[in-house]
């Protein structure tokens, strides 16, 4: 990872957390302007719990960034301070999972809702 002085002001990475079979993994990317989604610049996996995964994210990014945007299992679940990931990984993992469940349920309900113009 780059040092803090090499990181541009205002850059806030996105961490993509996902469950891979029996473990958790993540990847990090830095969004660019105009909606360009770059490939991940860092990834790691094999974590037994989501909390363990979050601790590794904090270790990997903590020196360079204060906050990250978080996606879990493909859903946007907000942003977090890196220090939260380090100090309260269990609580953050539970909050992220709850937020993901709410977003996923809403997305499924929206997909199942009939169109207003359907007969």
């Amino acid at each position: 990872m780059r040092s803090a002085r090499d990181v541009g002001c205002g850059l806030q990475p996105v961490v993509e957390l996902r469950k891979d079979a029996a473990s958790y993994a993540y990847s990090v990317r830095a969004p660019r302007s105009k909606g360009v989604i770059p490939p991940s610049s860092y990834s790691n996996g094999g974590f037994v719990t989501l909390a363990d995964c979050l601790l590794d994210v904090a270790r990997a990014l903590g020196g360079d960034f204060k906050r990250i945007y978080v996606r879990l299992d493909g859903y946007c679940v907000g942003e977090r301070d890196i220090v939260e990931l380090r100090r309260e990984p269990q609580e953050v993992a539970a909050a992220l999972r709850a937020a993901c469940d709410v977003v996923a349920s809403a997305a499924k309900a929206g997909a199942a809702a009939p169109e207003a113009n359907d007969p």
Side-chain angles (χ1 to χ4, degrees), residues 14-113:
V14 175
V15 64
E16 301 267 353
L17 303 161
R18 66 194 173 285
K19 181 136 180 152
D20 288 337
S23 64
Y24 286 88
Y26 71 91
S27 60
V28 178
R29 60 185 166 82
R32 298 183 184 119
S33 63
K34 299 182 183 172
V36 175
I37 299 174
S40 67
S41 56
Y42 182 77
S43 61
N44 203 355
F47 301 99
V48 175
T49 67
L50 182 55
D52 292 338
C53 190
L54 293 171
L55 275 172
D56 197 71
V57 169
R59 287 184 197 113
L61 300 177
D64 293 337
F65 302 98
K66 290 186 177 238
R67 294 183 65 77
I68 57 169
Y69 290 108
V70 181
R71 292 180 56 86
L72 177 57
D73 294 333
Y75 296 102
C76 222
V77 290
E79 59 183 307
R80 292 296 199 166
D81 288 332
I82 296 287
V83 71
E84 286 182 285
L85 307 183
R86 189 177 307 113
R87 290 186 184 159
E88 302 170 336
Q90 298 286 349
E91 292 83 356
V92 173
L96 292 175
R97 177 54 59 201
C100 184
D101 291 346
V102 167
V103 174
S105 293
K108 288 177 185 169

